[in-house]
Amino acid sequence: MTDISNRTAFITGGANGIGLGIARAFAEAGCKLALADLDAAALEAAKKELSAKTEVATFVLDVRDRESFARVADEAEAALGPVSVVVNNAGVGGGAPAAKLTFEHWDWVMGINVNGVINGVQTFLPRMAERGKGGHIINTASGAGLAIAGTGVLYHTSKYAVVGMSEALRVELEAHKIGVSVLCPGPVATDIVKRSYADRPDAPANLSEKERKFAEESAERVSQILSQSTPPEDVGRMVVEGVKRNQLFIHTDRIMVPFIEERTRVLLEAMPPEKKSA
């Protein structure tokens, strides 16, 4: 999609962090914005800022709620016209050590990081395909969806799912002239760790006080690292360029290169030997 001006972009998690950075970049590119988020105050602030550059509509939305997603989609298109750029960006981090996870933790992370993406695709894709005017879907995964880099089994699981879904979608949607990109950011200067820690289900009761303290201190250390990482606005510009070029993968840095190389090596070495012809 080389020309995205005058398109309507629907962005989940659009009032904070990477989502807001993407919203700013799409506004600069001339897109109308439908921003969805759970944070009503942040939505209000985003609308006040971005309305100076483009038309903006905001919606409080839990991406796990399919009925609300459909209602918000209708309202967004009534206000701004057909949505042809969908950014499934809402996501959370966090969890617990694998042996301490609960079903509640799994349901929370997978519900937002995976089902939220599914709900966004399933809500808008049939509309886009029926209109026959093309479009683009961007799903936010992570470098953690490409190789194991120590961010925990729960987070890795959710992000691997988004990467696989995006790769498969891209193949199927070529016939509809709908592009698909998967954003796989490395460290980005957002407060996702703190917000996820505050919003997550209660920590498992079987965590010891020492384990609980370690988790809190780790979250604080990661937050400090993130604060000095790639700015969300830079990520937003990368996404806009990725959409214009119809890139499958959008990376923000090269931090995952050694992990991807090691995973590739292990995968290839596990292949059975080639059969020799008779």
Side-chain angles (χ1 to χ4, degrees), residues 114 117-118 121 139 160-170 180:
V114 181
V117 175
I118 292 170
V121 170
N139 297 326
Y160 263 70
V162 174
V163 170
M165 177 187 181
S166 302
E167 289 180 300
L169 264 179
R170 183 179 174 92
V180 177

Side-chain angles (χ1 to χ4, degrees), residues 143-153 156-157 160 256 258-260 262-263:
L146 302 170
I148 303 305
T151 56
V153 63
H156 276 298
T157 300
Y160 263 70
M256 290 301 296
F259 301 100
I260 294 170
E262 177 62 13
R263 180 171 187 261

Side-chain angles (χ1 to χ4, degrees), residues 96-236:
K100 303 284 188 173
L101 286 171
T102 66
F103 281 118
E104 189 176 15
H105 278 93
W106 280 102
D107 289 344
W108 180 60
V109 171
M110 299 299 282
I112 297 170
N113 290 2
V114 181
N115 289 345
V117 175
I118 292 170
N119 292 344
V121 170
Q122 191 57 45
T123 298
F124 284 106
L125 176 55
R127 303 172 186 225
M128 294 165 67
E130 184 177 356
R131 289 167 185 148
K133 296 183 178 180
H136 207 97
I137 296 171
I138 304 99
N139 297 326
T140 298
S142 167
L146 302 170
I148 303 305
T151 56
V153 63
L154 181 48
Y155 190 72
H156 276 298
T157 300
S158 69
K159 295 307 183 178
Y160 263 70
V162 174
V163 170
M165 177 187 181
S166 302
E167 289 180 300
L169 264 179
R170 183 179 174 92
V171 174
E172 290 203 28
L173 297 187
E174 285 180 355
H176 296 281
K177 297 183 179 180
I178 297 173
V180 177
S181 298
V182 57
L183 173 62
C184 297
V188 179
T190 72
D191 62 352
I192 185 173
V193 174
K194 289 183 177 179
R195 285 190 287 111
S196 295
Y197 196 86
D199 296 341
R200 69 177 185 161
D202 291 338
N206 57 352
L207 277 183
S208 68
E209 184 59 34
K210 183 178 180 180
E211 289 171 326
R212 200 182 305 274
K213 184 177 180 181
F214 177 78
E216 292 174 355
E217 291 174 349
S218 296
E220 182 59 34
R221 284 195 300 272
V222 173
S223 293
Q224 289 297 320
I225 293 171
L226 292 182
S227 68
Q228 302 174 43
S229 301
T230 306
E233 290 72 23
D234 288 356
V235 178

